[in-house]
Amino acid sequence: YFYEYKDSPLIVPPFNEWLYALPALFIGLSGSIIALKFLLPASLFFLVYLLVYRLTKSNDDIADTWPVLIASVSTALMVTLGFDFVNYKYLWNVFHGGAASPIIWSRIVNPIVGAVQLFGFLILLEAIMSRRFKYAYVCAGLLLSITVGYFFTLGMSLSILGSLLLIVVWKKEWATARELVYVGVIGFVFSIWYWIKIFLSITGTEGSLVGMRNGMSFTHAPVLNMALLAGTLFVVLSASIVYFRKRIFPHPKSWVFVAALLLGSWIAFNQQIITGREVWYGHFFQYTVPLVHVALGVI
């Protein structure tokens, strides 16, 4: 039920599938799937709400919390229920009596499990930035090691982590930079068994076939995603307006975090320009669209 190519070596650990399989031992597979169809999107809603709330109220200098609550709730609703709002052809069809497509988060296993992991990871990164939780880097590293169960969660997490590290090094925030490095090191150490297995599996002709079967292609072509481009232009325009009006950025850590989300999204789509290898880059929209929603909600 969960796997294709059951007679072949499995190069992706079934962490996310076990989230469904373990409850199924007690309540049956149907009960497990039905329960998680509700619990996982609800968890995603809460995580997006919490991330936007923390980013918009990071300095605790906003007297009225209603704007913060409205931004947090509306962004969480956009991520969970308004995913397809970036598709103008789809919206045009719906407004003219066409059928709405199923919500992407209702699919089994992925991308919903990976989305919960990704936004949990982002909340921990925000905790590192704001110095909110002393050992956030340990939890973030452990969570990063689990994302090897879904390549697109791993790719987005690493892209955003790297982007955030570049920005804080440029800003000379060495304590934060050190903990972000720790996140990567801990994630690698606890998933090193996976990387060793991958290294042993991808050598030779059989390894190439395994890679291509899992979506690997070889190209240096750049990718332009329209939703990400629109969100980036909006953020750049907003930053320019704020800077020229005030000459200072309120909530500077929030601006840095938003910049890392967008830069990480561009890297995830276009890292093949340098590496020459990409895995179904079109699938990254599952996470870049929610990240654009978050960036707009925070700004």
Side-chain angles (χ1 to χ4, degrees):
Y1 187 89
F2 287 123
Y3 298 113
E4 297 176 353
Y5 305 107
K6 297 182 179 66
D7 58 341
S8 301
L10 187 67
I11 64 170
V12 178
F15 290 145
N16 298 352
E17 286 79 3
W18 272 109
L19 184 64
Y20 290 77
L22 287 175
L25 298 175
F26 305 98
I27 61 176
L29 185 57
S30 296
S32 174
I33 291 174
I34 291 171
L36 290 172
K37 270 182 177 288
F38 287 94
L39 293 176
L40 288 175
S43 300
L44 177 61
F45 175 92
F46 176 73
L47 291 173
V48 174
Y49 165 84
L50 186 60
L51 177 63
V52 176
Y53 184 88
R54 286 185 171 180
L55 287 173
T56 51
K57 206 165 185 329
S58 57
N59 291 345
D60 294 322
D61 60 356
I62 299 179
D64 187 2
T65 59
W66 278 109
V68 176
L69 292 173
I70 291 172
S72 304
V73 171
S74 59
T75 304
L77 286 172
M78 281 290 291
V79 170
T80 50
L81 300 179
F83 185 93
D84 291 311
F85 282 10
V86 298
N87 187 337
Y88 63 90
K89 293 181 179 179
Y90 168 77
L91 284 180
W92 181 266
N93 178 62
V94 171
F95 289 148
H96 285 77
S101 63
I103 297 174
I104 190 173
W105 311 122
S106 65
R107 297 177 186 173
I108 296 174
V109 185
N110 287 310
I112 180 58
V113 177
V116 170
Q117 293 171 346
L118 175 61
F119 277 92
F121 182 72
L122 294 179
I123 287 175
L124 291 170
L125 291 186
E126 189 280 330
I128 293 173
M129 289 283 295
S130 62
R131 323 304 295 175
R132 192 187 305 274
F133 173 35
K134 184 177 180 180
Y135 298 106
Y137 66 91
V138 177
C139 298
L142 294 174
L143 184 54
L144 180 63
S145 69
I146 297 175
T147 62
V148 296
Y150 190 51
F151 169 77
F152 304 103
T153 308
L154 173 66
M156 284 304 315
S157 299
L158 288 176
S159 297
I160 295 171
L161 176 64
S163 300
L164 197 57
L165 178 60
L166 288 174
I167 295 173
V168 298
V169 167
W170 177 68
K171 290 172 62 65
K172 298 181 180 180
E173 297 178 1
W174 305 118
T176 302
R178 182 173 60 251
E179 292 193 1
L180 292 177
V181 171
Y182 291 163
V183 171
V185 171
I186 293 172
F188 176 74
V189 168
F190 279 89
S191 61
I192 193 169
W193 58 272
Y194 168 74
W195 299 111
I196 292 174
K197 180 180 179 181
I198 288 294
F199 179 77
L200 296 176
S201 301
I202 63 176
T203 55
T205 303
E206 183 180 356
S208 298
L209 292 174
V210 170
M212 288 186 288
R213 193 175 67 218
N214 283 270
M216 176 74 75
S217 61
F218 304 90
T219 178
H220 292 280
V223 174
L224 178 64
N225 179 266
M226 298 306 293
L228 179 58
L229 176 61
T232 302
L233 291 176
F234 179 85
V235 171
V236 171
L237 178 61
S238 301
S240 301
I241 293 173
V242 169
Y243 179 78
F244 286 112
R245 286 183 60 188
K246 299 185 177 181
R247 300 289 178 177
I248 188 173
F249 285 108
H251 305 287
K253 292 186 183 300
S254 299
W255 286 93
V256 166
F257 204 88
V258 167
L261 295 182
L262 296 177
L263 178 59
S265 297
W266 282 108
I267 291 174
F269 272 125
N270 291 282
Q271 56 77 32
Q272 71 274 3
I273 295 176
I274 298 174
T275 65
R277 289 168 172 77
E278 58 86 13
V279 180
W280 281 333
Y281 59 77
H283 280 50
F284 279 114
F285 86 97
Q286 301 170 130
Y287 299 141
T288 57
V289 169
L291 293 178
V292 167
H293 288 326
V294 168
L296 299 185
V298 172
I299 298 304

